[in-house]
Amino acid sequence: NAGVMQNPRHLVRRRGQEARLRCSPMKGHSHVYWYRQLPEEGLKFMVYLQKENIIDESGMPKERFSAEFPKEGPSILRIQQVVRGDSAAYFCASSPNYQETQYFGPGTRLLVL
Amino acid sequence: GQQLNQSPQSMFIQEGEDVSMNCTSSSIFNTWLWYKQDPGEGPVLLIALYKAGELTSNGRLTAQFGITRKDSFLNISASIPSDVGIYFCAGQQGGAQKLVFGQGTRLTINP
């Protein structure tokens, strides 16, 4: 059973460009979570999605950030008009059901020049 | 936002020594989790705790869910080189799914 997959693993963008981060959950998992990790810090929750629905977006910045988890295909975290402060590692986790263990992917490291 | 206070921030030990780290909060958590993160990778779950007072082991690792529900500790016995990495505590409150993470403990082992 393949683990959580994220791509790309590394992404470089110039200020003002768009970044699209993809997450394929583990097989059979319908719950997806996105977290952000700044250097030398712990992970910070961003958003929780269940197929086609955003359940909790309390950690999402109000502007420029959006997330989706369509019926078919991976979950996408989209950052519009990136700024240098968006440089971080973005991790996706998935779980099979509500209140079950979250398994993390390897992360996407975003660098904004 | 809510944050867990994890200590120590870093540890430098000799191979074979035991390690202890802890996590505290000002509010109650219903679930405590301990993860390990290697460089360039995502966190990997080590131990999950679901009941106050619970003591759980996974090989050389032992973790406890504090009786007040506001703290947890992780012990590693007889450390080996592959234990090097960053250890994070994480908790869940109420019915919320989101994990709240500590700042991490960076473990370095001298052979």
Side-chain angles (χ1 to χ4, degrees):
Chain A
N1 188 11
V4 178
M5 298 175 67
Q6 290 187 249
N7 67 81
R9 292 291 303 271
H10 299 273
L11 182 61
V12 180
R13 284 289 178 264
R14 296 193 180 278
R15 280 179 297 169
Q17 290 184 321
E18 179 179 285
R20 282 187 179 235
L21 287 60
R22 295 175 186 78
C23 169
S24 296
M26 290 177 70
K27 187 177 180 180
H29 288 197
S30 59
H31 298 245
V32 164
Y33 316 80
W34 285 93
Y35 294 82
R36 177 164 63 177
Q37 184 178 35
L38 296 173
E40 306 300 319
E41 293 188 10
L43 283 72
K44 297 282 197 301
F45 169 79
M46 299 181 75
V47 63
Y48 161 38
L49 310 101
Q50 187 186 0
K51 279 293 185 181
E52 299 184 275
N53 294 306
I54 296 175
I55 308 299
D56 180 355
E57 55 181 348
S58 59
M60 284 282 268
K62 295 289 183 250
E63 298 177 348
R64 302 188 297 109
F65 285 71
S66 63
E68 63 177 13
F69 188 17
K71 187 176 181 181
E72 301 292 337
S75 175
I76 306 287
L77 179 67
R78 181 182 177 203
I79 312 172
Q80 295 178 291
Q81 299 176 326
V82 296
V83 301
R84 289 212 173 112
D86 296 333
S87 295
Y90 291 83
F91 291 96
C92 166
S94 73
S95 67
N97 287 303
Y98 177 71
Q99 288 192 329
E100 293 202 38
T101 301
Q102 295 179 28
Y103 296 88
F104 283 83
T108 293
R109 277 130 189 99
L110 172 65
L111 176 62
V112 179
L113 301 177
Chain B
Q2 178 67 52
Q3 192 168 1
L4 299 179
N5 298 310
Q6 187 171 346
S7 64
Q9 287 191 340
S10 59
M11 301 184 73
F12 299 85
I13 64 169
Q14 297 293 123
E15 184 177 349
E17 287 185 16
D18 296 344
V19 171
S20 184
M21 60 191 78
N22 67 78
C23 214
T24 61
S25 171
S26 58
S27 54
I28 289 172
F29 282 78
N30 294 332
T31 301
W32 285 91
L33 306 159
W34 285 92
Y35 287 87
K36 179 175 183 257
Q37 185 177 28
D38 291 327
E41 298 296 331
V44 174
L45 182 65
L46 300 173
I47 293 181
L49 303 157
Y50 300 104
K51 291 172 60 176
E54 180 180 356
L55 184 70
T56 298
S57 293
N58 177 8
R60 294 177 296 105
L61 277 62
T62 301
Q64 184 157 29
F65 189 146
I67 198 73
T68 64
R69 296 179 176 264
K70 294 182 179 181
D71 62 340
S72 177
F73 72 75
L74 174 71
N75 287 340
I76 305 173
S77 63
S79 58
I80 60 177
S82 62
D83 291 335
V84 166
I86 303 177
Y87 292 79
F88 289 99
C89 61
Q92 286 178 307
Q93 293 180 292
Q97 284 295 89
K98 63 183 178 184
L99 296 177
V100 178
F101 280 81
Q103 307 97 314
T105 295
R106 182 181 296 273
L107 180 62
T108 303
I109 298 176
N110 300 315

